[in-house]
Amino acid sequence: MLAIIGGTGLSQIEGFKSAGFKRVATPFSEKRVAVELLQQGSQIIAFLPRHGKNHVIPPHKINYRANIWALHQIGITNIIAINAVGGIHPESGPGSFVLPDQIIDYTYSRAGTFFEESLEFVTHTDFTEPFSHELRTMLDNAFQLANQEAEGSKRLLDKGVYGVMQGPRLETAAEIRRLQQDGCDIVGMTGMPEAALARELKLNYAMLALSVNWAAGIGESEILMSEIEANVKVGMDFVLAVVKKLINQY
Ligand code: HPA
């Protein structure tokens, strides 16, 4: 079964029928994780808004382990992550989309592994390719189909390096120059440890990133929340169209 992890602007998926919630107990959280089941025709998908239903959990406070554990627990095998990001690459300006193929993790102090206690042996997980090639191809196809209906108005960068910052503050211009030198094309705050945890549990994971602003120092002015909010609103409507095409291929 497929799960969508929603990011900023995607705390709810419209146009699907809710088939109720699974409230999953995990060893990593006192509270159960509420995963919504959504139905379209005969298809059922799971939906988990990583910032909580009312968008109140900041990136560094998200319980990534509980979320990924809960999805695994209910039989999810494939995860599509939706992430709002800042654009660094010249073709990743606000309103455009990126299907990242690589990650650089700059976060710290986040619980980032399932393999740390009661171990029989130390486990190192291969993470050379952090995203599932198969899911990225499916996302690319779904994007093209949805874009035909949008008369080709949406732009997609079909690969890129996602730099994950700790947040919740945005970056300085110098930090973004450093990320640029490191080879980052987009910057966000939520891709890690989510992607690595999914890999530890052998779940396929891919990300569709929506650029909602130029990263600090790349655009002409400082970053305005009003700009981010406007781009999130328009972009997430298209994300929904892509998700629907993806489910039809599934
Ligand atoms: N930086 C980090 N995370 C983000 C940004 C940004 O500019 N925009 C949206 N998420």
Side-chain angles (χ1 to χ4, degrees):
M1 189 162 69
L2 175 75
I4 310 288
I5 301 184
T8 299
L10 198 69
S11 301
Q12 213 170 317
I13 293 203
E14 283 157 27
F16 288 77
K17 224 175 96 195
S18 180
F21 285 84
K22 280 209 185 265
R23 297 181 199 279
V24 191
T26 84
F28 307 101
S29 54
E30 277 172 25
K31 275 211 242 159
R32 288 167 187 258
V33 177
V35 183
E36 190 167 14
L37 299 180
L38 297 169
Q39 193 168 3
Q40 197 194 32
S42 59
Q43 300 276 29
I44 294 215
I45 60 162
F47 177 63
L48 180 57
R50 68 165 79 76
H51 296 283
K53 226 175 163 48
N54 303 316
H55 202 273
V56 289
I57 312 171
H60 63 296
K61 290 282 191 186
I62 292 169
N63 193 333
Y64 295 96
R65 288 197 299 189
N67 286 353
I68 296 296
W69 188 271
L71 293 179
H72 179 253
Q73 197 72 13
I74 63 167
I76 297 298
T77 46
N78 293 333
I79 297 175
I80 300 291
I82 308 295
N83 298 58
V85 297
I88 299 174
H89 186 285
E91 285 165 43
S92 68
S96 69
F97 292 83
V98 184
L99 265 179
D101 63 332
Q102 277 297 332
I103 292 176
I104 301 180
D105 185 7
Y106 301 91
T107 65
Y108 46 86
S109 306
R110 297 184 180 188
T113 180
F114 292 115
F115 298 119
E116 62 182 4
E117 272 168 48
S118 317
L119 296 178
E120 279 166 36
F121 47 85
V122 173
T123 304
H124 299 289
T125 306
D126 176 74
F127 204 41
T128 311
E129 297 296 334
F131 297 109
S132 152
H133 177 69
E134 208 185 336
L135 280 186
R136 290 182 67 249
T137 305
M138 282 174 67
L139 263 174
D140 198 353
N141 291 338
F143 188 96
Q144 304 309 337
L145 288 173
N147 204 14
Q148 275 168 20
E149 284 172 20
E151 290 166 355
S153 59
K154 304 293 176 186
R155 280 159 301 130
L156 177 71
L157 199 54
D158 65 3
K159 62 182 174 92
V161 179
Y162 174 108
V164 199
M165 297 294 275
Q166 176 73 357
R169 67 163 176 84
L170 294 163
E171 297 72 35
T172 65
E175 284 169 338
I176 293 298
R177 279 199 298 277
R178 171 190 171 204
L179 263 61
Q180 207 167 18
Q181 279 162 14
D182 286 355
C184 294
D185 298 302
I186 52 176
V187 56
M189 301 175 190
T190 48
M192 286 292 282
E194 194 175 272
L197 291 165
R199 176 61 55 83
E200 283 189 350
L201 296 187
K202 301 189 168 55
L203 307 178
N204 300 315
Y205 181 99
M207 178 192 296
L208 179 61
L210 165 66
S211 170
V212 293
N213 57 278
W214 283 116
I218 304 267
E220 313 231 299
S221 61
E222 63 185 59
I223 300 167
L224 301 171
M225 278 314 290
S226 55
E227 180 204 356
I228 292 186
E229 281 159 16
N231 286 316
V232 162
K233 198 167 161 7
V234 177
M236 286 304 163
D237 284 345
F238 188 72
V239 166
L240 280 183
V242 175
V243 167
K244 284 179 191 160
K245 295 289 182 204
L246 183 88
I247 294 166
N248 292 341
Q249 289 183 62
Y250 202 68

